[in-house]
């Protein structure tokens, strides 16, 4: 299967699953599916909670798929931000910067709260293409040199030269461009629960 950065299928992220809930909140969300991966584009007062980790920004791209295991379903998550603002100081992470890619693995429920949800990939948003290029390069590095398991969400380390700012889509040499995906059974693992709450907010 070509490594395109559009989906997480075929990969098991080398992260020990956390325990907790995952919540996405934004004014507007686009939702679409690529293979076994649910995709989200969030914009407007974006707040993301993964267990004890919280992130705030204006726009984000999300990859989310599920893996069955003996101890229950595991949610694999990747996040890409053009700009990550000051997160909640009470959280156990303090990440700020531009063009940030974060990967995580967690058990527990997943919820989405947005004032407007539209179906389909928003092709005119540059952050979607940039995020896919960044994730593609990250996944190729995982195939080339798999790291040890970590117990917290992983932030792709910055380049050693602080004056060098790579852009998503820059050519990456000597890294694999495809991964062999093992056959899998068709499983009905919905990301979001079929029932939920609807809220109406208005001035009058």
């Amino acid at each position: 299967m070509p490594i395109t950065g559009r989906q997480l299928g075929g990969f098991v992220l080398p992260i020990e699953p956390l325990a907790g809930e995952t919540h996405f909140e934004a004014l507007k969300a686009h939702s679409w599916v690529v293979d076994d991966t649910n995709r989200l584009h969030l914009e407007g007062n974006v707040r993301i909670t993964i267990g004890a980790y919280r992130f705030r920004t204006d726009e984000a791209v999300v990859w989310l798929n599920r893996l069955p295991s003996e101890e229950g379903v595991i949610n694999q998550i990747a996040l890409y931000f053009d700009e990550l603002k000051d997160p909640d100081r009470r959280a156990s992470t303090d990440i700020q910067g531009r063009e940030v890619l974060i990967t995580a693995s967690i058990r527990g429920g997943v919820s989405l709260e947005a004032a407007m949800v539209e179906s389909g990939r928003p092709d005119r948003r540059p952050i979607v293409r940039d995020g896919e290029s960044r994730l593609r390069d990250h996944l190729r590095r995982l195939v080339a040199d798999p790291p040890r398991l970590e117990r917290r969400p992983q932030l792709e380390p910055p380049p050693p030269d602080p004056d060098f700012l790579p852009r998503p889509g820059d050519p990456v040499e000597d890294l694999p461009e495809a991964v062999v995906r093992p056959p899998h059974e068709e499983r009905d693992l919905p990301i979001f629960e079929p029932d939920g709450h609807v809220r109406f907010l208005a001035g009058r």
Side-chain angles (χ1 to χ4, degrees), residues 3-136:
I3 304 175
T4 63
R6 294 194 171 194
Q7 73 262 18
L8 290 173
F11 288 89
V12 177
L13 297 176
I15 307 168
E16 188 72 21
L18 303 170
E21 304 293 315
T22 301
H23 182 68
F24 303 100
E25 182 178 346
L27 294 179
K28 184 177 180 180
H30 286 87
S31 174
W32 70 104
V33 178
V34 179
D35 196 12
D36 66 345
T37 303
N38 283 258
R39 299 288 309 278
L40 293 172
H41 169 256
L42 307 173
E43 61 179 315
N45 196 25
V46 177
R47 297 171 182 265
I48 299 175
T49 302
I50 302 177
Y53 299 87
R54 298 176 178 86
F55 309 95
R56 288 203 302 262
T57 186
D58 294 325
E59 190 175 15
V61 180
V62 180
W63 297 255
L64 177 62
N65 78 339
R66 307 188 101 175
L67 298 176
S69 72
E70 294 181 355
E71 299 180 3
V73 174
I74 299 172
N75 299 305
Q76 295 196 124
I77 302 171
L79 310 171
Y80 178 78
F81 308 94
D82 266 347
E83 181 178 5
L84 186 59
K85 296 183 176 180
D86 187 12
D88 191 331
R89 291 291 184 179
R90 295 174 300 173
S92 52
T93 184
D94 185 9
I95 300 171
Q96 300 181 65
R98 297 186 58 82
E99 301 171 3
V100 178
L101 175 68
I102 294 173
T103 56
S105 182
I106 187 170
R107 304 180 191 275
V110 179
S111 60
L112 169 65
E113 183 175 348
M116 179 185 299
V117 179
E118 297 183 358
S119 298
R121 169 190 164 103
D123 289 322
R124 295 185 178 181
R125 306 299 298 194
I127 188 175
V128 176
R129 297 189 300 272
D130 292 347
E132 290 172 350
S133 295
R134 184 68 175 276
L135 181 63
R136 178 200 64 204

